Amino acid sequence: MIVYPLPPRLPTSPYLDQLYAPMAALGVTVRRGRPRHELPALLAGSGARLLHLHFFDELTQRRRRAETAARTLALVALLGALRARGVRLIWTAHNLAPHELRHPGWAFLAYRAVARAADAVVAHSHAALAELRARYGPPRRAVVIPHGSYIGLYGPPLPQAESRVALGLPPTGRVTLCLGTLRPYKGVEDLIRAFAQLPPETRGTLLVAGAAKDRTYAAQLTRLASAVPGARVEPRFVPDDALPAHLAAADLVALPYRSLLTSGVLLWALSYARPVVAPAFGPVRELVCEGREGFLFPPGDVGGLRDALGRALAHPDLETLGEQGLEVARALGWPSIAARTAALYREVTEEDR
């Protein structure tokens, strides 16, 4: 059995590396070359072949409507050609729709076409699967395989004091971290406004760190934070080996997202024993309970986010909450996730059409 992931690699996430690393031992050959080389081989090949689709927004979504339409129709045609050649299709639905939704109608068409063409749809939570079914209809086969954790991926936890010195953060007081690519759907401006509404003597420091796809948006966030004492925006890419220091320096991790189906940053926080302030979407509630692994707020509600931040910052024992989050992460090991994924590959390649 040969599996072709699309995309073959994620430059800003170890997700695919962790998922596919155990596959060889499970009898699965994974081809992670460039799509322009691998897709022709996939179409021309024979035997048990499978395309595992993870993300396709970069293939279809463009600023111009006409180009988006052409690329979406090309994707639909490709899916049809693959099925005609006996290739099976798995879609892991990381998102419910594109984060930068330029052309909603064409985006819906692309996602629905993928959902209908897929021999199986993988969701990371039961809540996510319910949302996918409601939006795109029931798939041929649906399975929940969780997102894996990142415990110790880049080394053991670091001392907080040393990490704060390295990042130029105050040695005392609470530090709230917002980590990851800066994009409007993540609601970072809501976080800065909520932080500004907290009493200055208790709110400590807010560090927002991550690369920005849009320089104008990054500048907007930087200006907004500059008017709030204690808030700091660093619009730069945080390399993998710098993640442990950022997480160690923080007391908690804030995810002010306005939409969410799954979140790698949430798994990073839990994996490094950091409690979270997160939106109360169904997929989040399957991992985080109020007052246990973190604190929840109504999505898009700045006042609710402020209150959740306040509860977190006032909590006397964030370390225990972090340890409880780490226990959640320990149950999400990649070897078992890879084994469940490989079993799904075998099911869809062995069944009769």
Side-chain angles (χ1 to χ4, degrees):
M1 178 169 43
I2 303 176
V3 175
Y4 298 75
L6 187 67
R9 302 182 186 280
L10 294 172
T12 61
S13 170
Y15 177 90
L16 296 181
D17 297 333
Q18 295 298 107
L19 176 63
Y20 293 118
M23 288 290 178
L26 297 170
V28 178
T29 300
V30 182
R31 300 284 296 270
R32 300 181 68 186
R34 293 179 178 273
R36 67 171 178 265
H37 297 144
E38 300 292 2
L39 286 176
L42 182 59
L43 281 164
S46 60
R49 292 144 24 249
L50 190 147
L51 177 69
H52 192 161
L53 192 57
H54 290 274
F55 299 96
F56 52 88
D57 294 340
E58 297 291 336
L59 299 177
T60 59
Q61 286 284 301
R62 289 293 187 271
R63 293 189 182 277
R64 294 175 57 245
R65 181 180 180 84
E67 188 177 2
T68 297
R71 284 174 167 269
T72 301
L73 294 174
L75 174 65
V76 174
L78 173 63
L79 297 177
L82 289 168
R83 289 189 63 81
R85 289 290 302 150
V87 176
R88 299 303 177 101
L89 174 66
I90 302 286
W91 175 35
T92 292
H94 297 262
N95 302 316
L96 195 62
H99 292 312
E100 282 77 38
L101 190 56
R102 297 188 179 99
H103 307 288
W106 285 107
F108 178 82
L109 176 62
Y111 273 68
R112 187 176 63 178
V114 169
R116 291 183 174 181
D119 294 283
V121 172
V122 177
H124 289 136
S125 66
H126 295 281
L129 181 56
E131 291 188 44
L132 288 160
R133 281 178 167 145
R135 178 76 67 93
Y136 302 114
R140 287 188 178 88
R141 181 195 300 265
V143 61
V144 174
I145 301 177
H147 190 303
S149 72
Y150 296 125
I151 297 172
L153 181 58
Y154 299 115
L158 301 174
Q160 186 173 81
E162 293 179 16
S163 298
R164 288 192 177 187
V165 169
L167 297 176
L169 293 168
T172 59
R174 298 288 202 197
V175 172
T176 301
L177 174 67
C178 180
L179 183 66
T181 306
L182 305 179
R183 302 169 75 177
Y185 84 91
K186 293 187 176 181
V188 179
E189 54 269 55
D190 292 347
L191 175 61
I192 296 171
R193 293 186 180 107
F195 180 80
Q197 294 174 17
L198 294 170
E201 65 274 12
T202 62
R203 67 191 180 205
T205 300
L206 170 64
L207 173 61
V208 176
K213 286 197 167 187
D214 185 333
R215 291 183 180 179
T216 302
Y217 181 62
Q220 173 191 337
L221 294 177
T222 302
R223 285 195 302 271
L224 188 61
S226 67
V228 182
R232 174 171 141 191
V233 173
E234 296 184 355
R236 57 176 176 78
F237 175 66
V238 179
D240 291 341
D241 58 5
L243 290 172
H246 281 75
L247 290 160
D251 294 289
L252 64 145
V253 175
L255 295 87
Y257 297 9
R258 296 166 182 164
S259 63
L260 183 150
L261 200 67
T262 189
S263 170
V265 174
L266 174 58
L267 270 299
W268 276 113
L270 298 177
S271 298
Y272 277 80
R274 288 298 176 261
V276 298
V277 173
F281 290 112
V284 173
R285 293 199 303 270
E286 292 188 23
L287 297 173
V288 178
C289 289
E290 171 70 29
R292 192 171 72 190
E293 295 84 13
F295 303 87
L296 303 175
F297 65 92
D301 183 342
V302 176
L305 174 54
R306 176 203 61 218
D307 294 344
L309 273 174
R311 294 194 301 276
L313 293 169
H315 196 279
D317 191 5
L318 290 179
E319 185 175 345
T320 294
L321 271 63
E323 289 299 322
Q324 290 167 170
L326 182 59
E327 285 302 310
V328 172
R330 286 194 176 109
L332 302 173
W334 287 103
S336 64
I337 289 169
R340 291 167 65 179
T341 305
L344 178 63
Y345 292 163
R346 293 189 177 90
E347 288 175 15
V348 300
T349 54
E350 292 171 1
E351 68 184 4
D352 292 331
R353 287 198 184 275

